[in-house]
Amino acid sequence: MTRPLRVGNASGFYGDRFDALREMLTGGPLDVLTGDYLAELTMLILGRSRLKDPERGYASTFLRQLEEGLGLAHERGVKIVANAGGLNPAGLARAVRELAERTGVPVRVAHVEGDSRPVPDGYLTANAYLGGGGIAACLRAGADIVVTGRVTDAALVTGPAAAHFGWAPEDRDALAGAVVAGHVLECGTQATGGNYAFFGDHDIRRPGFPLAEIHEDGSSVITKHGGTGGVVDIGTVTAQLLYETGGARYAGPDVTARLDTVTLTQDGPDRVRISGVRGEAPPPTLKVGLNRLGGWRNEVAFVLTGLDIEAKARLVRGQFADALDRAGSKPAEVRWELARTDRADAATEETASALLRLVVRDPDADAVGRVVSGAAVELALGSYPGFHVTAPPGKGAPYGVFEAAYVPAGEVEHVAVGPDGSREAVPAAGPYRPLEDVPEPELPEPLPAGPTRTTPLGRIAGARSGDKGGDANVGVWVRDDDAWRWLAHELTVARFRELLPETAGLTVVRHVLPKLRALNFVVQGLLGEGVAAQARFDPQAKAVGEWLRSRHVTVPVRLLDRPEVNA
């Protein structure tokens, strides 16, 4: 029996806590330390960086973190695997070697190539999501540091685990278990109490980063270094499992993991065991992320204070429309949103004020530039009483659009470039299985009738939401079987749309995950053209789950009269 592999995480996004790499290396024993730096928006940022300097295109923060962490990792025998290579993994590998020579740390550096795809006309980047095979090959070749470009987030864990345990592509249950562990780790402190619905239950002022003890059968224990902040319990792990997922089949290049088979067990303080995960053959295609510049946008937020808020908003909108007509120029898209943050008889000026937000977009920079900022500024002395804006209007800025395409897995050249420069082709993980939804699981028996009380949904249910391109997902879960018997029948798609009116005209799909006592809703098109387009007040749908929790529903009293609810 091969000993468990202890894998930690030190980054959930480009810009995460800078000290985390050092903290994870010094906080306790590790075998592998991973870092996830890439998101859909990050690839656009790196694409624009590469336009300015072809030698860049990678996450430079990682290199700065290694200046103090490289020696620590070498001393402790910890291998580092990160997707910080972005659009230029070979360039980052060279930079790491130069850093190692400069600091005198004898580490062997490898990288993974092949995610870069031909960029269609009008696009900035095109990258396939690779699996963990290239990472595993680099580690088997003796690498201490492995940098990649666009791999799936979970590949940062499946690659080291496959190398350590000698898993083959047909070891699907084990790989699927590692995928689930990788998904829990990928967003860093979201697994240890960060962004957690029941944050008041724990001290999460500075949560520690998570780690997984992975076993040969693919089961794992999610935990954190002793003495670090935050918490690891079934709730925090459930929340992260639901984040940015869809149905029960969680597809990837290595394996499709069945989220409906996941069993979570509290294994002691700050320890949650993940077991029972089943895996299936991966789909025959790989996802390709495409980024392009969508056009130009500008934004102005008008502050409306005191009385007659609605009338003041109508006045501004009318004056602004008249100014654009007089200028003979109107952006292709003009959107207004009035946020009634004001309250009556307020004790402070800020709480007496509402925000009227104007967002304009157009393919032409001039259409959102001076004509818009000028129209806003010229209203300053001739509009509603108390006129002011939150910031001076600017000249506008470009915005990006993320799109997903799919290519046959066999068409993508996945290459591991070893520490000695040797190149190893990584075969695709076939045979494949086309992706399809699982049959609807049987729901639990409804709770018997009884007295009810109207209260916010969040009094008994947790939620976490996120983005996938233009879609949003909202995962909702409860903490005991009786609450699940109520939630599974109460929160239908129709009820979800009633509670969140912004979703009423959109396609909403509900996925049922009984073992997690969870429902996962996918809202198609809520985010327009994706986070980089900033089409919405909350462009990554981070708070949609909290909006849902704030909505009032009728709940059986027997679910509310409990210590954990009344805490």
Side-chain angles (χ1 to χ4, degrees):
M1 179 72 71
T2 306
R3 67 172 180 83
L5 183 72
R6 200 168 165 93
V7 181
N9 170 278
S11 177
F13 68 100
Y14 190 14
D16 208 347
R17 189 190 305 169
F18 186 87
D19 294 337
L21 189 140
R22 177 178 51 79
E23 292 171 0
M24 288 299 288
L25 289 172
T26 58
L30 285 177
D31 298 305
V32 178
L33 184 58
T34 66
D36 182 8
Y37 293 80
L38 301 184
E40 294 168 359
L41 178 61
T42 312
M43 299 300 278
L44 177 67
I45 293 170
L46 295 178
R48 295 180 64 186
S49 169
R50 189 177 57 175
L51 285 177
K52 299 175 183 177
D53 182 356
E55 296 300 314
R56 300 304 292 271
Y58 55 77
S60 56
T61 300
F62 173 71
L63 200 58
R64 299 203 309 273
Q65 289 173 303
L66 280 187
E67 290 180 1
E68 61 179 35
L70 198 62
L72 290 171
H74 177 66
E75 291 169 6
R76 289 160 172 74
V78 178
K79 298 183 183 296
I80 295 178
V81 179
N83 61 12
L87 302 175
N88 188 8
L92 179 57
R94 284 193 300 271
V96 173
R97 291 189 189 97
E98 292 169 1
L99 173 63
E101 291 176 6
R102 193 164 64 248
T103 57
V105 181
V107 295
R108 294 161 292 183
V109 183
H111 71 278
V112 177
E113 295 180 351
D115 62 297
S116 181
R117 301 291 297 164
V119 180
D121 289 343
Y123 287 79
L124 195 59
T125 68
N127 297 83
Y129 287 69
L130 303 179
I135 295 170
C138 289
L139 292 170
R140 286 193 299 264
D144 302 304
I145 310 287
V146 181
V147 295
T148 78
R150 180 71 275 183
V151 297
T152 64
D153 300 336
L156 300 174
V157 173
T158 62
H164 179 74
F165 295 113
W167 292 337
E170 56 268 22
D171 293 318
R172 295 196 182 105
D173 289 348
L175 285 165
V179 164
V180 171
H183 179 61
V184 173
L185 296 188
E186 69 184 53
C187 288
T189 54
Q190 279 197 169
T192 57
N195 299 351
Y196 183 51
F198 303 110
F199 66 94
D201 294 351
H202 312 282
D203 183 356
I204 60 163
R205 286 173 293 179
R206 188 178 172 85
F209 276 69
L211 61 92
E213 298 167 356
I214 302 175
H215 295 262
E216 191 167 8
D217 63 355
S219 65
S220 63
V221 173
I222 305 299
T223 183
K224 61 189 184 69
H225 285 325
T228 57
V231 64
V232 178
D233 65 16
I234 289 176
T236 66
V237 174
T238 298
Q240 180 53 29
L241 272 176
L242 295 172
Y243 182 63
E244 294 183 344
T245 59
R249 286 190 165 104
Y250 186 63
D254 299 313
V255 68
T256 293
R258 288 289 297 263
L259 298 183
D260 56 345
T261 64
V262 175
T263 296
L264 303 180
T265 309
Q266 197 72 40
D267 197 47
D270 292 320
R271 292 177 62 85
V272 172
R273 182 172 297 279
I274 299 176
S275 61
V277 185
R278 296 292 175 258
E280 298 173 346
T285 57
L286 296 185
K287 178 180 174 179
V288 176
L290 301 169
N291 280 287
R292 61 179 172 85
L293 295 179
W296 295 78
R297 73 185 296 280
N298 206 346
E299 179 174 338
V300 184
F302 300 88
V303 182
L304 315 177
T305 304
L307 303 177
D308 306 319
I309 296 294
E310 299 285 346
K312 290 170 180 175
R314 287 194 298 272
L315 174 59
V316 174
R317 293 180 64 163
Q319 289 180 308
F320 194 84
D322 180 66
L324 293 182
D325 288 341
R326 291 176 182 276
S329 175
K330 182 180 179 182
E333 180 183 347
V334 179
R335 294 183 57 176
W336 295 90
E337 186 74 28
L338 177 59
R340 294 299 302 266
T341 53
D342 58 302
R343 64 185 71 165
D345 195 23
T348 67
E349 181 180 340
E350 187 168 359
T351 56
S353 300
L355 293 177
L356 178 63
R357 182 169 172 254
L358 166 68
V359 177
V360 295
R361 304 174 195 278
D362 198 278
D364 183 359
D366 291 338
V368 303
R370 183 170 297 176
V371 65
V372 170
S373 59
V377 169
E378 290 168 8
L379 294 178
L381 301 182
S383 188
Y384 61 89
F387 180 100
H388 64 287
V389 295
T390 57
K395 62 181 180 180
Y399 69 88
V401 173
F402 174 87
E403 298 171 1
Y406 294 86
V407 298
E411 288 186 6
V412 177
E413 296 181 2
H414 188 172
V415 179
V417 183
D420 62 354
S422 61
R423 302 175 65 84
E424 178 182 342
V426 179
Y432 307 108
R433 174 176 178 162
L435 194 63
E436 58 185 8
D437 289 336
V438 302
E440 183 78 10
E442 185 176 344
L443 297 181
E445 285 293 319
L447 282 179
T452 61
R453 185 185 309 156
T454 298
T455 190
L457 174 63
R459 290 271 285 158
I460 62 167
R464 179 166 286 166
S465 54
D467 66 308
K468 279 295 181 185
D471 299 341
N473 94 288
V474 186
V476 185
W477 81 95
V478 288
R479 297 185 280 189
D480 62 64
D481 290 337
D482 278 352
W484 171 237
R485 291 172 63 188
W486 171 79
L487 182 73
H489 294 277
E490 168 67 17
L491 197 55
T492 62
V493 168
R495 188 73 176 109
F496 181 90
R497 287 197 178 107
E498 290 175 3
L499 294 172
L500 303 186
E502 286 184 38
T503 71
L506 302 172
T507 298
V508 178
V509 180
R510 184 178 96 150
H511 301 282
V512 182
L513 299 168
K515 286 197 170 188
L516 299 176
R517 301 191 194 101
L519 304 172
N520 196 20
F521 294 88
V522 177
V523 185
Q524 298 176 11
L526 180 67
L527 306 179
E529 294 177 304
V531 55
Q534 299 183 53
R536 195 174 175 275
F537 169 69
D538 174 17
Q540 288 182 281
K542 296 291 189 182
V544 175
E546 288 302 293
W547 176 28
L548 178 65
R549 293 183 69 237
S550 74
R551 299 290 280 160
H552 286 210
V553 295
T554 302
V555 178
V557 170
R558 63 185 290 181
L559 300 180
L560 296 173
D561 294 337
R562 303 180 183 193
E564 70 271 16
V565 173
N566 295 311

